[in-house]
DNA sequence: CGTCGCGTTGACAAGGTTCAAATTTGGTGG
DNA sequence: CCACCAAATTTGAACCTTGTCAACGCGACG
């Protein structure tokens, strides 16, 4: 089975793809959102497509009683908010202070459709999201708490290109709502991994993680 | 990679969503798969796209130790197996005896791309899968066992156009692997719904379900 | 210097899983 | 036609992983 690291690989191509448009024929502007601010809500009109310049965004769905499921985290260069229909199917919020590049959805779609191979790129964009969702369903439906947390740090590691120290922009509750757990369970799993010398924290807020044993991580992630 | 032709009943006709294409310029044939037979495997070459004529198909991913997550069930007229890349990201099996219409992936994609608005249709196809996956992540990450089973019968009810009696082609284990539960938990939840007069079984194998109170179902499904 | 947000940890509860057994059904072969 | 067996489903009981509730520590910030 091929190891698919979320949609990180597609996302990088995506940024290049978008670079070919923005500023040439598709108007774009920049916006800044402060920590915790909503970018768009479920069922809002899908007017814009977003690309992150700095910061981090969570997209999520909620149940009426407040239970929340985060679909994905978006990091610099990632696009989000692309919809086929006229309505957003989920909400988006800034996890920390975030700068985004905003493109009008209709102009992007028109331009892409007109361009040679543009349709294929758009399908690739949606497909990479679908691929991530498929992997995440397997995680949510069938993995243990420890496996989920391992998968999470692995994903973050890959998406930050295996840095010396992973920086987590989100808090434990966000991680929990992404992994279908409680924040306490996430905390305990991370402590277990720390005690097993698989990772180490580099700051007092426990948001900077060094992976001490990527082999074990990859093993546990199988 | 293999197109299993062992029990094939080979013809060349057309129906359903693809009627606009198939038989005109895109060659198609029909195949029959017996209960439990694999249609394609994860990482197989994605040579064909499939549309169900009769029967039912499950698509799923597996972990090395055998844990399984079913992404979705496909019923008559549904398409499945469409990939952007050259490789299937999951496996597909016939839940019961199933007849499918098979189209070569490359010819379908070419034809769709050439056609006016065809690209949009393809994106819509992928998007509807993504939408289902997003809803399913919410279910897997945040819903209780009873809520999941309610959501399942609701989905089956809708997809069979609210029949007098829902016919479930899949067994309890399939339902469990779709909902991220065990087959025992699914059975217990269905028994609870039966005891609460929300549904009733119409046959000895408990595969035919009558919904006695669609309002309660819709409520619980919120 | 008090408060608040965030994270960790402990004790306990509970929802779901595991293991086991009984029942039913459908299929197969004698 | 009947005996036998495998597969599917239900149900019970024990167990365990995860959730819930609470306490505590720490740093940031007004």
């Amino acid at each position: 089975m091929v190891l698919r690291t979320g949609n990180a690989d597609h996302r990088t191509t995506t940024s290049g793809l978008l670079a070919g448009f923005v500023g040439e024929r598709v108007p774009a502007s920049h916006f800044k959102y402060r920590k915790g601010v909503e970018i768009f809500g479920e069922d809002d009109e899908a007017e814009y497509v977003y690309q992150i310049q700095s910061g981090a965004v969570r997209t999520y769905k909620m149940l009426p009683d407040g239970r929340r499921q985060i679909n994905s985290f978006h990091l610099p260069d990632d696009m989000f908010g692309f919809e086929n229909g006229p309505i957003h199917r989920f909400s988006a919020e800034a996890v920390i202070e975030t700068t985004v590049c905003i493109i009008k959805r209709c102009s992007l779609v028109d331009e892409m459709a007109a361009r040679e191979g543009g349709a294929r790129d758009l399908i690739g964009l949606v497909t990479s999201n679908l691929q991530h969702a498929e992997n995440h369903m397997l995680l949510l439906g069938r993995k243990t708490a420890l496996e989920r947390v391992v998968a999470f740090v692995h994903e973050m590691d890959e998406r930050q290109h295996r840095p010396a120290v992973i920086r987590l922009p989100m808090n434990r509750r966000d991680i929990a709502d992404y992994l279908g757990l409680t924040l306490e369970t996430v905390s305990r799993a991370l402590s277990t991994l720390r005690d097993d010398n698989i990772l180490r924290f580099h700051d007092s807020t426990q948001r900077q993680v060094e992976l001490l044993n990527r082999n074990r991580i990859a093993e546990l992630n199988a």
Side-chain angles (χ1 to χ4, degrees), chain A residues 109-220:
Chain A
V109 171
D110 290 350
E111 194 61 27
M112 291 292 267
R115 185 210 212 189
E116 184 65 32
R120 212 173 277 266
D121 292 343
L122 273 190
I123 293 175
L125 190 59
V126 182
T127 302
S128 66
N129 286 330
L130 179 57
Q131 199 165 331
H132 182 266
E134 285 160 357
N135 290 326
H136 211 59
M137 286 193 288
L138 178 60
L139 179 149
L140 294 171
R142 287 299 176 218
K143 291 190 179 178
T144 66
L146 192 61
E147 289 171 328
R148 295 180 201 206
V149 172
V150 165
F152 173 74
V153 298
H154 182 68
E155 180 185 350
M156 287 298 137
D157 189 40
E158 295 285 321
R159 288 179 60 183
Q160 294 178 26
H161 311 102
R162 299 172 173 262
V165 177
I166 304 168
R167 289 168 192 265
L168 303 177
M170 68 293 284
N171 64 25
R172 298 292 189 259
R173 174 171 296 281
D174 286 336
I175 300 174
D177 285 351
Y178 179 57
L179 300 178
L181 301 170
T182 61
L183 65 92
E184 293 93 337
T185 300
V186 171
S187 177
R188 278 185 249 269
L190 287 170
S191 297
T192 300
L193 294 172
R194 164 173 49 69
D195 295 347
D196 292 353
N197 289 314
I198 291 175
L199 56 79
R200 187 165 58 167
F201 294 114
H202 270 248
D203 68 330
S204 57
T205 64
Q206 320 285 71
R207 301 269 190 107
Q208 298 181 24
V209 179
E210 177 189 358
L211 299 190
L212 301 172
N213 195 336
R214 285 201 169 87
N215 290 339
R216 290 288 320 275
I217 292 278
E219 262 172 52
L220 294 171

